[in-house]
Every structure is written in C-alpha cells, then in structure tokens.
Amino acid sequence: MPLVNLTSSTPATFILVGIPGMEQLHVWISIPFCTMYLAALLGNGVLLFTIWSERSLHQPMYLFLSMLAVADLTLSTTAVPKMLALFWFRAREISFGACLTQMFLLHFTCSAESVILLAMAFDRFVAICHPLRYRAVLTPAAVAKTGLVALLRSFCIIFPCIFLLKRLPFCGHNVILHTYCEHMGIARLACADISVNLWYGLMVPLLMVTLDFLLIAVSYVFILVALFRLPSRTARHKAFNTCGSHICVLVFFYAPAGFTALTHRFGWGIPRHVHILLANLYVLFPPLLNPVVYGVRTQQIREKVVKVFVCSKSHFLGE
C-alpha cells in the first residue's frame, strides 16, 4: 500500500467508550470519581499553598513534596475532567491531537513522579545517614536541578511515543475501549505491525521506573543499616518515622502502576472493565492519598496548615 494512503488513514477523532459493559453505570461511577478528584484538588492545593506561604517549609523535603503535588494535580486533571464529561454528557469524541497530548501528559507525569520519589528517597538517605552534610548536599540549586532532570528525562522517554503513534495507519479504526488515551490503547487500533510500540512502550519506561525503584530500595537498605546503628530504640523509631510517609506514597505509586502496566499487556484473562476501573483509580488514588498521608503523618505540615488558615481567616475578617 502506498505511503500516502497509510498516512491519510489517521482518524480526525477518536471515540472513548468509557468502561465497556458498564455504560449504564457511568453516572453512578462518576459520583465517587468526582468526589475523589475534588478532594485531590483540595488536598494538593492546600499542601502547595501551605508550603508556599510558610518560609520554614522551604526545605528540600517539602520542596520535593510540592513537586509531587504538582505532578499529582497534572496527572488527575489530565484524565478526570474528560472522563467526567464522557460519563455525564456522553462527550465521547476527542481529536487525534488532543488524544496524543493526553497520552503524553499522562505518561510524562508518571515518569516524572518516579524521579521525584527517587529524589525524596535520596533526601531521607542524606538526612539519616549523613545529617551533618544535609545542607551542603541538598542546596536549593540541587533541588532545582533535580526538578529539571525529572522534566527532561520524562520528556526524552515519552516524546518518542508520539512519533511511534503518528507513523501508524488506523484504517478507520477509532474506537478506544477506555476512558482516556494511553499509548498501547491507541497503538492497538492500528492496522499495521505495532511491535516497536509494544517493546518501546513496555521496555523503556519500565526499565527507567525499575531503575528508580531499585535505587530507592538501595537507599532504604543504607537507611536501615544506619538506623540499626543508633544507640536507642526511641532514636531509631523517631528517625524511621520520618520515612513512613514516603514509604506509603511509594506503595500508592508503584503497586498500582506496575499492576496496571503488566495487566494491560499480559493480563488477557482479566475482564476489560476491571482493568479500566483499576487504571482510573490509578490516576485518582495517589493524588488523593499523598497529601492526606503527609498531612496526617507529618506534624510540621499539620501545624503549618492550621497556622496558615487561621492567619488567613484573621486577615480576611480584619482582626
């Protein structure tokens, strides 16, 4: 087939089905999804406002946390509003360009979050294993460079996916059995060999995220060794407690991400609606739970949230 005919078969729009087999429940499903999304917006917004307002929180740990909050907001906002429009108004059409943009932002944000979580593990490693060098190592410039590395690495990994998809002919196939656009969901509509998409989409991001996870694991091995060397149980408990929030966030991020990625490619025995529900929860649960975990477990954040909003209320009332 001539190349012109292949490239001309790119659809102008895609049709998002939602959750196949559960279309009649879309409105009911949208209620908890909308509630979780609004709670995620509120929680991350409060966290960002508190860190921005309180100079005492302008420390590496909280700056990394603010990066995580921005990534969480981007992740959920990229997917959920279109999902709710589909559920409420049957707005199922999405242009080819908008679909690729949504796909890019979703995968880009997930990759950036992995780097940020690695940076937060390194922050805990330096704070516990080399406390006297903490300020010298984690300078404001180092924190800013870490954020830049997260953006650049994620861009370099995910941007090729756009070209891998744009080269494919779709032969009129434009129905995506999902609530949002993601790389392999689009690629599987093509009427051509997608082995390059399959291997790139699986191996490159997976290798990068796996590398981040292994480096995080190594950091915690050194942290545990340092904790066991502390003289008292109270000191060990206090030091490890500073890592508790980060460990919870790691579980929220890596467990569903790994499960979703693997089941999407290899879990043919899992019903499609189950997979899509889990994929939707993945873009909602981490943004919802991350600020809650840090707000509940970190006393300094709890105190500063109360202080900021009490001061804001007093200023608003003119007291």
Side-chain angles (χ1 to χ4, degrees):
M1 185 179 293
L3 181 61
V4 174
N5 290 340
L6 285 176
T7 55
S8 64
S9 63
T10 299
T13 61
F14 285 110
I15 304 298
L16 295 169
V17 170
I19 305 176
M22 302 183 71
E23 290 86 354
Q24 71 279 8
L25 299 175
H26 277 175
V27 174
W28 295 105
I29 294 172
S30 71
I31 296 174
F33 281 13
C34 181
T35 303
M36 286 189 284
Y37 176 59
L38 293 176
L41 291 180
L42 177 62
N44 287 284
V46 167
L47 196 62
L48 285 170
F49 180 72
T50 302
I51 294 173
W52 177 77
S53 302
E54 279 294 318
R55 293 186 62 85
S56 62
L57 295 181
H58 294 179
Q59 302 172 25
M61 173 183 174
Y62 301 110
L63 294 177
F64 289 136
L65 181 56
S66 65
M67 293 181 192
L68 185 66
V70 171
D72 282 338
L73 288 173
T74 304
L75 177 65
S76 57
T77 302
T78 298
V80 178
K82 178 60 180 177
M83 184 194 309
L84 294 177
L86 188 158
F87 288 164
W88 290 340
F89 310 115
R90 300 185 182 276
R92 304 196 301 169
E93 288 193 357
I94 183 170
S95 69
F96 183 76
C99 192
L100 291 187
T101 301
Q102 187 184 56
M103 178 277 300
F104 172 79
L105 287 175
L106 284 170
H107 296 312
F108 172 86
T109 307
C110 290
S111 177
E113 281 206 31
S114 184
V115 180
I116 295 168
L117 291 172
L118 174 59
M120 295 173 80
F122 181 71
D123 171 87
R124 293 299 85 204
F125 164 75
V126 177
I128 292 174
C129 299
H130 304 283
L132 298 180
R133 298 178 57 191
Y134 184 80
R135 292 185 180 277
V137 174
L138 288 165
T139 61
V143 174
K145 289 177 183 177
T146 302
L148 183 61
V149 167
L151 295 176
L152 289 177
R153 195 196 76 165
S154 302
F155 181 85
C156 292
I157 291 173
I158 305 303
F159 193 66
C161 293
I162 293 178
F163 294 100
L164 290 175
L165 290 172
K166 293 188 74 171
R167 72 184 178 88
L168 295 173
F170 291 88
C171 306
H173 302 150
N174 69 336
V175 178
I176 299 176
L177 302 178
H178 212 307
T179 55
Y180 55 78
C181 300
E182 53 87 32
H183 180 223
M184 288 311 302
I186 302 172
R188 286 205 170 96
L189 297 179
C191 51
D193 181 21
I194 61 168
S195 56
V196 176
N197 296 73
L198 179 64
W199 286 110
Y200 186 89
L202 175 64
M203 297 306 297
V204 176
L206 184 61
L207 286 174
M208 292 296 101
V209 172
T210 301
L211 176 62
D212 294 342
F213 182 78
L214 290 176
L215 291 174
I216 291 171
V218 170
S219 298
Y220 272 99
V221 168
F222 284 110
I223 289 172
L224 289 174
V225 170
L227 290 178
F228 284 123
R229 291 176 179 172
L230 293 176
S232 69
R233 180 178 297 180
T234 302
R236 288 196 295 269
H237 177 74
K238 183 177 180 181
F240 187 76
N241 193 50
T242 64
C243 303
S245 300
H246 184 243
I247 292 173
C248 292
V249 170
L250 288 173
V251 173
F252 296 151
F253 178 79
Y254 283 107
F259 183 81
T260 299
L262 292 175
T263 56
H264 189 75
R265 289 163 175 82
F266 306 114
W268 301 109
I270 299 176
R272 183 176 293 274
H273 67 272
V274 173
H275 165 72
I276 295 176
L277 278 172
L278 291 174
N280 289 333
L281 292 176
Y282 172 66
V283 301
L284 283 165
F285 266 7
L288 171 66
L289 296 177
N290 290 348
V292 173
V293 167
Y294 273 96
V296 170
R297 293 186 59 89
T298 308
Q299 181 179 357
Q300 193 171 359
I301 290 181
R302 290 201 308 270
E303 293 174 349
K304 297 304 180 183
V305 167
V306 173
K307 177 184 175 183
V308 166
F309 282 92
V310 167
C311 292
S312 299
K313 180 180 178 181
S314 299
H315 178 74
F316 178 76
L317 295 176
E319 296 177 1

